[in-house]
Amino acid sequence: MRVKVLSRNPDDYVRETKLDLQRVPRNYDPALHPFEVAREYTRALNATKLERVFAKPFLSSLDGHRDGVNCMAKHPKSLSTVLSGACDGEVKIWNLTKRQCIRTIQAHEGFVRGMCARFCGTSFFTVGDDKTVKQWKMESPEYGEEEEPIHTILGKTVYTGIDHHWKEPVFATCGHQVDIWDEQRTSPKCSLTWGFDSISSVKFNPIETYLLGSCASDRNIVLYDMRKSTPLKKVILNMRTNTLCWNPMEAFIFTAANEDYNLYTFDMRFLESPVMVHMDHVSAVLDVDYSPTGKEFVSASFDKSIRIFPVDKGHSREVYHTKRMQHVITVKWTSDNKYILCGSDEMNIRLWKANASEKLGVLAPREKAAMNYNQKLKEKFQFHPQIRRIAQHRHLPKSIYGQIKEQRIMREARRRKEQNRRKHSKPGSVPLVPERKKHIVAVVK
C-alpha cells in the first residue's frame, strides 16, 4: 500500500526567533493570480489617497526682516545657507538647519534690487537703489571689526539686477544696459545694449557659461554672447517678461516669467515659438527658478501663491499658499532638490517641501521599498479617472478659485468668437494660430 504524504520543511516557514520577520510564501506564476490588476488598482487608489492625506508641504517661516523680501540668493557650496535682501536695504544670511538668522547687514539705502554669491562661496554681491554694487565677505567679521564691504562700485544709474559667472571672476549687472564687470576693475569690461529701455533681470547660462539672457521692460528677451561682446538675438512678446531662468541640465532651454500670467519655456535656437506655454497663475508671474535636476521649476506670482511645473507640462503639479502669504516676489529651489524658499511682501521667507507628501528623515529599507512600490502603482494607474481626480485635486483660496473660473469663461468665449468668425469668413482669411505662437510678436536677429 502506497500513502502520499504532504511534507513541509519547517525551516521554510517557521521563524527562528520571534523578532524575525514572518516568511511569506509567494508564487509568481501569473496564471495563479487572476485578480492581480484589481488588487493593484485598489492599492494604487489607497496610495493616492494617503499621498493627499500626508501632503503637508509647509515647514517653517523665517521672520526677521522689517520690510518686504525683494531678492534671494543661494550659497554655491553650503546647502544650509541662504541670503535674502529686503526693500529697506537690509541683507540677512540665514542658517536653514537652525532656521535662524546668523548675520544682518545694512547694505544699501533703499531697495536691495539684486544679489548673487560668488561661484567659490567666499563672498557675495548686492546692488541697490543707491546706484552702488557692493561685494561682501560671506564670513562674519571678527570681534571688534567693522561690517564693511570688500569693494564698492559707484554707478551712474540704478542697477536692477546682478548675476555672477559660474566659473570666472566676472559678474553682470543690468539697469539701462547690461554691463560685464571684472572683479578687479571699477569700470565695466564691456556694455551690451539693444534698444533703449530699462532691463529688469540678467542671468548667466550655467552650462554654456559665456551666454547671458536679459529681460527688458519693452517686452524683449535678449540673448548675449560674452565672447563677441554683442547681442545675439531677441524675441518680443505681447507683454513684459519679469525674469528668466536657464535650465541647469539643458544648455539651450530657458523659462521666462511673464506679466500675462503665463510662463514660456524657450529653446534659444528656435525662438519663433516657445517649447511650452505654462498656464495656471491668475496674476503676473514675478520669479522663476529651476530644480537642480532640470525637470521642474517653481514660479512665484502676484496672486499670493507659488506653483511647481514639470518642464514638459502646460499645467502645474502643485500649488502652495497660506492665509497670511501676500504677493510672492522671489523664489528659490535648494540645490539638494528637497526644499523651496519663497520671499513675499509681508516680510517673511517661507520654507516648503518640494514634494508635498515626502517623509523627511531617515527611512527604513522596508519603508523605502513600500514607497517605491506605491510610486510605481500610482504611475501605472495614473490615467484612471478616480485616481487622476484625487491626485489632481487641490484646495485653493476663494480669490484664486474665482479668477480661474472667470478666465476659463473668457478663454472659451474667445475661442467661440474665433470659430464663428472663421465660419462666416472666406476660407483661409482667418488663419488658425496655435496657442504657442499667439504670444510672440517678433524675433529679431
Side-chain angles (χ1 to χ4, degrees), residues 9 12 37 45 89 107 119 121 146 181 277 296 305 337 366 401:
N9 184 355
D12 293 338
V37 174
L45 190 64
F119 61 91
E146 286 290 312
W181 304 77
V277 180
E296 293 182 320
S305 70
N337 198 29
R366 289 182 77 192
Y401 184 73

Side-chain angles (χ1 to χ4, degrees), residues 164-227:
H164 202 284
H165 195 281
W166 290 77
K167 289 176 182 166
E168 293 170 21
V170 171
F171 64 92
T173 59
C174 61
H176 74 290
Q177 62 187 21
V178 172
D179 293 323
I180 310 286
W181 304 77
D182 194 307
E183 284 181 15
Q184 307 303 321
R185 294 170 60 182
T186 54
S187 58
K189 281 203 311 183
C190 66
S191 295
L192 307 162
T193 180
W194 193 353
F196 301 98
D197 230 316
S198 64
I199 296 159
S200 58
S201 146
V202 63
K203 291 282 166 72
F204 273 101
N205 190 319
I207 302 169
E208 303 291 350
T209 49
Y210 47 82
L211 291 175
L212 295 102
S214 75
C215 310
S217 54
D218 56 358
R219 305 176 298 156
N220 290 346
I221 299 171
V222 189
L223 302 174
Y224 308 94
D225 191 330
M226 206 169 73
R227 300 167 301 180

Side-chain angles (χ1 to χ4, degrees), residues 169-385:
V170 171
F171 64 92
T173 59
C174 61
H176 74 290
Q177 62 187 21
V178 172
D179 293 323
I180 310 286
W181 304 77
D182 194 307
E183 284 181 15
Q184 307 303 321
R185 294 170 60 182
T186 54
S187 58
K189 281 203 311 183
C190 66
S191 295
L192 307 162
T193 180
W194 193 353
F196 301 98
D197 230 316
S198 64
I199 296 159
S200 58
S201 146
V202 63
K203 291 282 166 72
F204 273 101
N205 190 319
I207 302 169
E208 303 291 350
T209 49
Y210 47 82
L211 291 175
L212 295 102
S214 75
C215 310
S217 54
D218 56 358
R219 305 176 298 156
N220 290 346
I221 299 171
V222 189
L223 302 174
Y224 308 94
D225 191 330
M226 206 169 73
R227 300 167 301 180
K228 286 185 181 177
S229 306
T230 54
L232 288 173
K233 48 182 164 180
K234 69 176 175 182
V235 57
I236 306 167
L237 277 74
N238 277 331
M239 288 182 80
R240 183 163 64 99
T241 301
N242 289 314
T243 185
L244 62 86
C245 186
W246 293 93
N247 190 319
M249 288 291 163
E250 296 180 59
F252 301 112
I253 305 293
F254 66 90
T255 297
N258 205 278
E259 283 280 319
D260 65 0
Y261 314 170
N262 297 341
L263 294 113
Y264 301 98
T265 298
F266 284 97
D267 187 324
M268 66 169 282
R269 296 165 295 181
F270 315 108
L271 291 175
E272 287 73 23
S273 77
V275 178
M276 185 60 69
V277 180
H278 308 275
M279 315 163 80
D280 258 345
H281 281 295
V282 292
S283 196
V285 189
L286 301 179
D287 199 11
V288 59
D289 192 38
Y290 263 93
S291 73
T293 59
K295 290 183 177 178
E296 293 182 320
F297 60 84
V298 61
S299 62
S301 171
F302 203 74
D303 64 12
K304 308 177 188 176
S305 70
I306 61 174
R307 287 181 182 267
I308 301 171
F309 290 87
V311 176
D312 55 348
K313 299 274 194 315
H315 293 283
S316 61
R317 74 159 170 87
E318 203 64 77
V319 53
Y320 294 162
H321 54 85
T322 67
K323 278 186 180 176
R324 295 185 180 203
M325 189 154 78
Q326 294 303 306
H327 313 305
V328 191
I329 309 294
T330 177
V331 71
K332 283 278 178 277
W333 198 309
T334 57
S335 304
D336 61 349
N337 198 29
K338 284 209 178 294
Y339 306 103
I340 288 166
L341 289 147
C342 70
S344 48
D345 255 359
E346 83 309 335
M347 306 178 274
N348 268 7
I349 296 166
R350 288 182 173 79
L351 184 65
W352 308 82
K353 284 193 261 186
N355 188 357
S357 57
E358 185 181 18
K359 187 181 175 187
L360 299 178
V362 181
L363 294 178
R366 289 182 77 192
E367 268 183 311
K368 209 175 281 183
M371 279 173 59
N372 292 341
Y373 176 59
N374 285 341
Q375 189 59 39
K376 286 293 175 199
L377 285 178
K378 282 184 285 192
E379 284 172 21
K380 182 176 177 181
F381 294 96
Q382 63 184 333
F383 297 112
H384 281 242

Side-chain angles (χ1 to χ4, degrees), residues 81-213:
T81 308
V82 70
L83 306 101
S84 64
C87 299
D88 58 355
E90 198 174 60
V91 169
K92 283 185 180 285
I93 301 176
W94 303 87
N95 185 327
L96 293 181
T97 45
K98 295 178 183 172
R99 296 180 190 177
Q100 64 187 35
C101 175
I102 52 175
R103 188 168 158 214
T104 304
I105 307 163
Q106 187 57 47
H108 294 276
E109 292 169 20
F111 282 44
V112 180
R113 288 288 172 190
M115 60 197 311
C116 66
R118 199 172 186 270
F119 61 91
C120 61
T122 53
S123 62
F124 65 95
F125 295 82
T126 60
V127 292
D129 275 357
D130 52 6
K131 303 181 184 177
T132 57
V133 181
K134 293 183 180 178
Q135 183 181 4
W136 306 83
K137 274 186 186 170
M138 196 66 81
E139 297 297 319
S140 301
E142 298 294 326
Y143 181 73
E145 211 179 316
E146 286 290 312
E147 183 77 85
E148 285 183 346
I150 307 169
H151 298 301
T152 303
I153 299 168
L154 296 170
K156 296 187 178 72
T157 57
V158 173
Y159 296 111
T160 53
I162 185 167
D163 196 33
H164 202 284
H165 195 281
W166 290 77
K167 289 176 182 166
E168 293 170 21
V170 171
F171 64 92
T173 59
C174 61
H176 74 290
Q177 62 187 21
V178 172
D179 293 323
I180 310 286
W181 304 77
D182 194 307
E183 284 181 15
Q184 307 303 321
R185 294 170 60 182
T186 54
S187 58
K189 281 203 311 183
C190 66
S191 295
L192 307 162
T193 180
W194 193 353
F196 301 98
D197 230 316
S198 64
I199 296 159
S200 58
S201 146
V202 63
K203 291 282 166 72
F204 273 101
N205 190 319
I207 302 169
E208 303 291 350
T209 49
Y210 47 82
L211 291 175
L212 295 102

Side-chain angles (χ1 to χ4, degrees), residues 430-444:
V430 182
L432 261 169
V433 183
E435 182 65 44
R436 292 182 189 183
K437 293 202 174 180
K438 276 181 191 170
H439 311 278
I440 308 295
V441 176
V443 176
V444 187

